[in-house]
Amino acid sequence: MDFGIVLQTNPPAARTVQLARAAEQYGFSHVWTFDSHLLWQEPYVIHSAILAQTETIKVGPFVTNPATRDWTVTASVFATLNEMYGNRTVCGIGRGDSAVRVLGAAPTTLHTLRESVHVIRELASSRPVTYRGTQVQFPWSQGSELEVWVAAYGPKALALTGQVADGFILQLADLDIAEWMIAAVRQAATEAGRNPDEITVCVAAPMYIGSDVAHMREQCRWFGGMVGNHVADIVARYGSTGAVPHALTDYIAGRQGYDYSEHGRAGNTHTDFVPDEIVDRFCLLGNAEEHIAKLRALRDLGVHQFAGYLQHDNQDGTLRAYGETVIPALDAQVALEEGGN
């Protein structure tokens, strides 16, 4: 299993770069950042600084969208970073949440998302593509390679992911929900004639190493509110029964609006509706042994990467505990299992 961290690009940018460098030293393979240009600093500028000050870390948005930038501009960013630093980028993409909603706009359609995945991947992989009726290609790009991972929750988005994505981003760590969603993506891939084993599965959730359960919950309750935005869209489209598990939809019954000025922040005042049970199920909280146990369970479901959100007051301690204890324990078990084979 690979490990990533997910950061907000809050000023100072030097702090984001510092955390990225520490992550590499502790054995993390990926550094992801939010991409919401009004709420936080421009991620791709900071990605360049991270790549310049690390050797192996891969970077990418978690996640971008097809609406706030022209697709050719997005592809150009990735192709440029790859030319400068080697192929060390990944494009996480979805329909759009905070980046579009704070502008008073709505997420894009799945059709638009599907088309953008193709255009961005082809252009950023040094290949020609037809865009708006014209064949285009970067004449300066050679040998660039880009995977596009799609963030999804609802049935149609999960199907699209299985049909076209290189990776699947699931932003919650509930074991039952993860099992259902991973199966849906793999089934869609199989039905599309793809090998489902070639789709990277990335589960992302807040990770907090500590002993004060009540404090950890309050620091991470924002995550249930963020997920609730997407769940509300699903319920509006499909209703609250049948299409998706009750474990995902039931908890938003008490949701009353959402203030994006507090999006993704500890202490968000619009997440009181999120019960403790959801925080515990969606996140990774507790001591190192508890994290290891849940990560092993996720790995057994077919998860290839766990990406931990670090939007809380114990960033350095959690990173250190993962580097010194959690990641080595998972690596040791893999080595033991491979040795036994």
Side-chain angles (χ1 to χ4, degrees):
M1 177 181 280
D2 290 334
F3 291 87
I5 60 171
V6 185
L7 304 171
Q8 291 172 339
T9 52
N10 294 306
R15 172 59 173 165
T16 304
V17 177
Q18 178 190 40
L19 287 169
R21 293 176 62 187
E24 181 175 73
Q25 295 170 359
Y26 284 132
F28 288 79
S29 60
H30 289 69
V31 172
W32 305 92
T33 65
F34 283 39
D35 178 14
S36 195
H37 57 288
L38 288 176
L39 298 179
W40 298 286
Q41 294 178 317
E42 175 60 30
Y44 297 120
V45 177
I46 298 173
H47 290 174
S48 185
I50 291 171
L51 291 169
Q53 297 187 41
T54 57
E55 296 181 0
T56 61
I57 280 287
K58 293 185 177 181
V59 300
F62 215 82
V63 295
T64 193
N65 66 83
T68 53
R69 293 180 180 86
D70 185 89
W71 308 344
T72 61
V73 173
T74 298
S76 179
V77 169
F78 287 109
T80 300
L81 291 174
N82 284 344
E83 189 278 327
M84 294 174 67
Y85 303 108
N87 291 319
R88 293 169 57 196
T89 64
V90 181
C91 178
I93 193 168
R95 294 174 56 225
D97 184 31
S98 63
V100 295
R101 294 188 196 270
V102 295
L103 295 171
T108 63
T109 66
L110 288 175
H111 174 76
T112 298
L113 177 59
R114 179 189 297 271
E115 293 298 312
S116 72
V117 167
H118 176 67
V119 170
I120 292 169
R121 179 168 51 210
E122 294 304 293
L123 277 178
S125 298
S126 304
R127 295 189 290 264
V129 69
T130 299
Y131 178 60
R132 296 181 179 176
T134 301
Q135 188 175 71
V136 294
Q137 183 174 11
F138 299 137
W140 46 266
S141 178
Q142 296 182 351
S144 178
E145 297 176 3
L146 180 73
E147 289 191 354
V148 180
W149 298 8
V150 173
Y153 290 106
K156 291 183 179 180
L158 293 170
L160 181 151
T161 302
Q163 292 160 4
V164 304
D166 300 299
F168 166 41
I169 294 173
L170 171 56
Q171 296 175 82
L172 55 82
D174 179 89
L175 297 178
D176 293 335
I177 296 172
E179 182 176 19
W180 179 83
M181 291 190 174
I182 292 169
V185 169
R186 291 177 62 85
Q187 179 180 346
T190 299
E191 292 174 352
R194 304 182 67 199
N195 181 355
D197 294 333
E198 294 179 355
I199 300 175
T200 301
V201 177
C202 175
V203 162
M207 59 180 186
Y208 195 125
I209 297 282
S211 58
D212 187 338
V213 175
H215 179 74
M216 289 187 290
R217 285 171 174 161
E218 290 313 308
Q219 286 286 299
C220 297
R221 198 175 302 276
W222 64 266
F223 185 66
M226 185 185 79
V227 173
N229 296 326
H230 302 285
V231 175
D233 286 345
I234 294 171
V235 171
R237 176 178 291 269
Y238 298 101
S240 59
T241 59
V244 293
H246 286 286
L248 182 60
T249 60
D250 285 353
Y251 84 96
I252 69 163
R255 179 178 182 269
Q256 296 180 352
Y258 189 81
D259 185 351
Y260 275 90
S261 68
E262 298 181 327
H263 185 60
R265 300 184 187 277
N268 187 319
T269 59
H270 292 78
T271 58
D272 291 343
F273 70 92
V274 181
D276 290 347
E277 177 195 5
I278 288 294
V279 181
D280 295 344
R281 284 167 45 193
F282 282 17
C283 304
L284 271 74
L285 311 177
N287 59 37
E289 289 71 25
E290 290 170 308
H291 284 243
I292 292 167
K294 190 163 187 178
L295 288 165
R296 285 173 174 165
L298 287 168
R299 189 191 61 186
D300 290 344
L301 292 179
V303 175
H304 302 101
Q305 179 181 146
F306 172 71
Y309 287 87
L310 279 179
Q311 282 72 58
H312 55 64
D313 60 4
N314 190 30
Q315 295 176 324
D316 297 299
T318 296
L319 265 184
R320 182 172 60 253
Y322 262 70
E324 294 177 353
T325 305
V326 177
I327 294 176
L330 270 293
D331 288 345
Q333 183 177 13
V334 170
L336 181 63
E337 292 171 351
E338 292 178 347
N341 292 333

